[in-house]
Amino acid sequence: MWKGDSSGSGLYGNESKLTPANVNVTQFGKLASFQANGLIIAQPLYVSNLKMSDGTTHNVIIVATEHDSVYAFDADAPGSAPLWERDYVDAANGVTTMADNFGGRTTLGGEVGITGTPYIDSNRGAIYFVTTLSRNGTPEQWLRAIDITSGQDFGPGSTKITASVAGDGRGSTGGEIAFDPSVQNQRAGLTEADGAVLAAWGSFSDWGVYHGWLMAFDPATLLMKAVFNPTPQSQSVDAASGPSDYGGGGAFWQGGAAPSVDSNGNIYLNAADGSFDADTGGKNYGDTMLKLSLDGSSFQVLDSFTPANADCIDLHDLELGSGGVALLPADAGSGTALAAAYNKEGRLFLVNRSKLGGFNAGGDSQIVQEFMVGAQECSDGILGDVAEGPGWNRLYGNPAYWNENLYAAASNMPLKQYQFQGGMLSASPVAVSSSVYGLRGGNIVVSANGTQNGIAWVYEKSENSQGILHAYDATNVSQELWNSNMNGGRDGMGTGIGFGTPVVVNGKVITAADSVVNVYGELQ
């Protein structure tokens, strides 16, 4: 799944082959590339030693594209044909991908197909994902399940996404708010909680009348078990005045992050810009970190945290929901279970998972810690509605964690490494990279062999749209070990993916660039 496991902390902690000693421009580089038929926004996934339906065994990379196709490639056979391919476009019968020319800035390459990173249930041998289609001009979305050994349907294979919740918020009719497949973007990665497959939806760059949606499905039958909408209630006063305000918004997109799930099955995710009145007994949770449980046929809100400046970040598009929630191990908090998240403002939040903190208009003193990674805070002096560009240090996705270190790469800033001491993070970074990241910052994962040989891998989409993969010594990120431009003729990635995320496994680092999957590793 996205970033490897349900903690969302981005640690590949069983990597014994790659070390700071052998990741350098002489010994490490591109081994293979695989071509797909569309833009690859979803993170590639890896399954080792998979016995296929024909009886052969392979290390497999599974790739989903915006052209509504899914591929399985042999990771050890450079340039080989797919082991299997599954396509959902059927132009002869009027089934195409949905065009992305309808409004918001999707950056999806002209078509909307499979965007959220799929989830693989290794016990069932099934992969789950959502396809967006246009059937004779009518948008549809479908949850799909296919067998990872063959690409054929798993169980019923698919179910059409239809849902509604009670409410009188934006887009409601007769006391019900219905899911609209034409405006809801299935951007967040899929995951599993309490025996159900979870999928979440946001918007296409705040276009149209949208809400956040979280749905749970039975993995065997694909029947919907539960649905949740974080902004179902009409609201007369709101910080912003967009088409989805006054009782709407609250997208679940998280910069591509999947909802995080703890060992008790509790679900953590961040709602983006939207209406908020939960502090006064309402039901709207825009710009809020939510802790949910799946209770049979419904989701229950167990706890929440909303930043004190929620109105400001909502008005100026500096939302909390630009990333997800990283669940940190107990050693980070000196025995306290912590969660970390950050927002487009460039602020990092550290909360106690047993008591998230709610809302405090006077400041965020009720949570464990908060501070600015970026240099510019939200204020009433901001001109215009949207605060972005080279003067802002936005954060996307999840913080990465390893061995009492936390890593963040804001836009227009270098990678920063913070360190835990006594359950709190150092107020200033203990190390800073020499590289400065572009307008989408960097998505980070760490590979290590337990507490040894940590490497911080950062995916960057540069200002000229080039994809660049960086490797740093995770004990001190001021030491860059390698990047894909050091020998660009051999290792160059091509056009980068917004919020692209590397995968590290069995001595290989796998990344997507435009419609190509690149595999890096030891050269000999």
Side-chain angles (χ1 to χ4, degrees), residues 149-236:
T149 71
S150 66
Q152 299 303 304
D153 282 351
F154 175 83
S158 63
T159 188
K160 189 176 180 180
I161 304 296
T162 59
S164 65
V165 295
D168 59 357
R170 285 289 194 179
S172 63
T173 302
E176 293 283 323
I177 301 173
F179 176 84
D180 183 349
S182 70
V183 300
Q184 301 290 168
N185 182 10
Q186 205 292 294
R187 180 70 184 89
L190 279 68
T191 190
E192 181 270 338
D194 197 26
V197 174
L198 303 184
W201 283 261
S203 71
F204 294 104
S205 289
D206 302 336
W207 180 78
V209 178
Y210 68 90
H211 295 261
W213 294 85
L214 177 67
M215 302 181 199
F217 299 88
D218 184 289
T221 66
L222 303 188
L223 294 176
M224 185 182 295
K225 299 179 66 174
V227 59
F228 175 75
N229 181 317
T231 53
Q233 192 172 49
S234 179
Q235 189 169 310
S236 60

Side-chain angles (χ1 to χ4, degrees), residues 68-79:
D68 276 324
S69 296
V70 184
Y71 298 84
F73 293 107
D74 185 333
D76 304 312

Side-chain angles (χ1 to χ4, degrees), residues 30-120:
K30 188 190 295 185
L31 302 176
S33 294
F34 299 96
Q35 180 70 50
N37 67 358
L39 189 65
I40 305 167
I41 295 289
Q43 177 192 288
L45 300 175
Y46 185 94
V47 184
S48 60
N49 298 315
L50 180 63
K51 187 174 182 179
M52 311 302 288
S53 59
D54 63 2
T56 60
T57 299
H58 302 267
N59 294 319
V60 177
I61 299 170
I62 298 182
V63 179
T65 78
E66 292 297 337
H67 198 64
D68 276 324
S69 296
V70 184
Y71 298 84
F73 293 107
D74 185 333
D76 304 312
S80 60
L83 297 167
W84 55 255
E85 177 181 348
R86 185 66 184 269
D87 303 300
Y88 289 92
V89 168
D90 183 7
N93 290 300
V95 179
T96 64
T97 54
M98 192 170 79
D100 75 345
N101 60 358
F102 47 80
R105 302 161 298 161
T106 68
T107 67
L108 299 182
E111 58 182 353
V112 184
I114 304 167
T115 306
T117 299
Y119 169 72
I120 294 175

Side-chain angles (χ1 to χ4, degrees), residues 255-453:
S260 299
V261 183
D262 68 19
S263 59
N264 295 317
N266 299 313
I267 303 158
Y268 301 79
L269 72 172
N270 290 326
D273 289 335
S275 300
F276 172 69
D277 64 4
D279 61 318
T280 57
K283 298 179 180 179
N284 293 333
Y285 289 97
D287 280 299
T288 294
M289 178 190 295
L290 289 160
K291 179 180 179 180
L292 308 175
S293 66
L294 177 56
D295 184 15
S297 61
S298 65
F299 290 101
Q300 303 296 323
V301 178
L302 301 179
D303 203 353
S304 67
F305 162 68
T306 308
N309 65 347
D311 281 355
C312 187
I313 61 176
D314 180 26
L315 179 61
H316 297 295
D317 190 33
L318 296 173
E319 65 209 53
L320 178 67
S322 63
V325 182
L327 306 181
L328 308 184
D331 61 349
S334 296
T336 300
L338 298 176
Y342 40 47
N343 66 6
K344 281 185 187 174
E345 185 190 16
R347 192 182 300 272
L348 187 144
F349 303 94
L350 200 63
V351 301
N352 185 335
R353 279 151 51 186
S354 65
K355 189 176 182 181
L356 299 188
F359 175 75
N360 178 13
D364 294 326
S365 58
Q366 81 279 22
I367 66 173
V368 174
Q369 193 176 9
E370 61 84 20
F371 58 84
M372 290 295 297
V373 174
Q376 188 167 338
E377 300 184 38
C378 193
S379 74
D380 293 336
I382 297 173
L383 300 176
D385 290 339
V386 178
E388 67 176 337
W392 284 90
N393 308 123
R394 292 180 164 205
L395 287 161
Y396 298 91
N398 287 13
Y401 175 87
W402 172 70
N403 199 28
E404 299 188 358
N405 293 282
L406 188 141
Y407 309 85
S411 60
N412 308 302
M413 269 194 167
L415 171 66
K416 294 185 177 183
Q417 175 186 349
Y418 299 89
Q419 202 163 73
F420 277 95
Q421 298 172 352
M424 302 275 283
L425 282 167
S426 53
S428 299
V430 297
V432 176
S433 73
S434 58
S435 308
V436 175
Y437 287 86
L439 292 177
R440 291 293 178 259
N443 253 1
I444 311 158
V445 300
V446 179
S447 66
N449 188 4
T451 60
Q452 303 298 313
N453 294 325

